[in-house]
Amino acid sequence: MTRRLAALLNAASLRVLPSSRREWGEAMSAELAYIDDRAALVHAGHCVVAAFGERVRDFETRFSAALGLVAMATVVFALTQLECAMRGVQVLLGRSDGMLALLIDHGAGPQRVALYQTTRPLVVTCFLLLGAIQLLGAWLLLRRRWRPFLVVWGAALAVAVCAVWLQLRVVWSLDGVPSEFNGVLVQAVCLSLILAWSNGRLTGLRSLS
Amino acid sequence: MKRRRKPSRQALALFGALLARPGQWQYGYDLTKALGIPTGSLYPLLIRLTDQGLLESEWQPPSRQGLPARHGYRLTHEGAAFAGQAVSEAPLPRDDRGLAPA
């Protein structure tokens, strides 16, 4: 029973270890055969600890986790854009328009109201596009398809600029950075940092070897 | 020789044990028992030192039939020089758990 438990723990540590450390997992396993049952269990338990430590230190794991976090943030931004787009679609289908009421409250004349109504479908389309493009960007990021990702990032930026420009034709000013840019900005900053870190790390590894 | 960080107490203990039997292959569990360093700390240390080129590792044939091959460790030439210097420069240990310079 103790030996089986030790074998199970050992199998777990082999799974946890990064593939680049596979040989070390096998080295720790091999030792089990030379140890009595009770010590084998303790040894196997410590092997799991060592395997988790190696997993956390593993460059590839950290890089994937960092990309995963950026992709997750991108998905959140994309869903926010899509939610805005859905609300816009509902307004286009006849639901009451709070934005229109707000414009009229702030003294918008018939000309501005007409411009708003002309612009509305275009802005909704921009939000739909932006959400879809950012979802695609998140997927490409996880797949590490850098070139298509760059194209998609550029497209997201263009659509965000377009959406903001359309809105600025109707409203007088925008406070702070428009939310349309959140996704592209976060990607630009985070990915630059991640790539700079990984490049520095790889250079360090090359100088070691 | 490349600039290296000051070795930890555990690294010094490991160096001491490896320097005590120069050129001989030593094994993970035997080292944990001799040094009192748990496997969870010893293997990461072995990995790090091997990555730095201070240790070499090799699969050694089993001592008895029916047992698996064992992963053996010993100091490289560079490792032996570094370990010798590190151990000789280390402050005297406050306990007797194999930390004394060999």
Side-chain angles (χ1 to χ4, degrees):
Chain A
M1 179 67 188
T2 313
R3 182 61 62 169
R4 270 183 67 181
L5 198 56
L8 276 175
L9 284 173
N10 192 57
S13 57
L14 278 173
R15 275 179 169 271
V16 171
L17 269 174
S19 54
S20 57
R21 300 296 192 200
R22 180 96 198 156
E23 193 186 3
W24 288 94
E26 285 160 7
M28 292 190 279
S29 309
E31 291 299 296
L32 282 178
Y34 294 85
I35 315 174
D36 67 68
D37 285 2
R38 203 178 130 73
L41 189 58
V42 177
H43 173 82
H46 281 294
C47 289
V48 175
V49 175
F52 271 107
E54 284 308 304
R55 174 56 75 178
V56 171
R57 275 191 208 103
D58 181 48
F59 167 73
E60 177 57 31
T61 306
R62 287 182 180 185
F63 189 72
S64 298
L67 287 186
L69 281 176
V70 178
M72 251 164 59
T74 305
V75 167
V76 171
F77 291 128
L79 292 178
T80 312
Q81 306 299 342
L82 289 174
E83 193 205 349
C84 290
M86 284 304 123
R87 273 197 229 142
V89 169
Q90 285 174 342
V91 167
L92 291 177
L93 293 174
R95 197 174 161 183
S96 67
D97 188 352
M99 185 64 192
L100 181 60
L102 205 67
L103 276 174
I104 293 169
D105 280 353
H106 280 76
Q111 208 177 354
R112 194 174 289 275
V113 169
L115 179 64
Y116 169 71
Q117 282 173 332
T118 319
T119 311
R120 201 165 47 186
L122 293 173
V123 174
V124 170
T125 308
C126 282
F127 273 89
L128 268 176
L129 264 176
L130 193 57
I133 288 173
Q134 285 185 334
L135 283 180
L136 177 62
W139 183 77
L140 290 171
L141 201 57
L142 287 176
R143 296 252 156 195
R144 299 188 192 183
R145 294 179 62 185
W146 301 112
R147 206 166 291 203
F149 173 78
L150 267 181
V151 173
V152 164
W153 185 87
L157 182 65
V159 173
V161 167
C162 201
V164 171
W165 176 73
L166 284 170
Q167 288 169 83
L168 278 173
R169 289 177 69 215
V170 179
V171 295
W172 297 267
S173 66
L174 295 170
D175 288 334
V177 180
S179 64
E180 290 85 340
F181 291 114
N182 286 350
V184 284
L185 280 179
V186 165
Q187 286 170 347
V189 172
C190 293
L191 291 178
S192 304
L193 289 173
I194 292 169
L195 292 176
W197 163 73
S198 71
N199 193 38
R201 181 73 191 253
L202 289 176
T203 311
L205 285 178
R206 259 183 241 122
S207 70
L208 264 181
S209 60
Chain B
M1 194 184 290
K2 292 171 202 138
R3 230 185 121 192
R4 294 179 201 283
R5 281 169 57 186
K6 204 174 142 198
S8 64
R9 283 167 62 87
Q10 290 182 332
L12 285 173
L14 178 62
F15 286 154
L18 294 171
L19 282 170
R21 291 163 65 188
Q24 283 185 38
W25 294 105
Q26 299 197 48
Y27 305 103
Y29 183 68
D30 299 343
L31 287 167
T32 65
K33 249 187 357 186
L35 303 173
I37 302 174
T39 312
S41 305
L42 181 78
Y43 275 94
L45 183 59
L46 291 171
I47 291 173
R48 227 55 70 227
L49 295 175
T50 307
D51 285 348
Q52 290 170 20
L54 298 177
L55 287 189
E56 57 185 332
S57 59
E58 199 177 282
W59 289 100
Q60 296 297 310
S63 50
R64 287 202 316 268
Q65 217 176 8
L67 288 173
R70 280 181 113 175
H71 212 217
Y73 313 99
R74 67 182 181 191
L75 290 164
T76 58
H77 287 300
E78 187 190 352
F82 177 78
Q85 193 184 350
V87 169
S88 66
E89 286 173 1
L92 285 175
R94 273 173 283 177
D95 59 26
D96 59 356
R97 293 192 305 159
L99 301 180

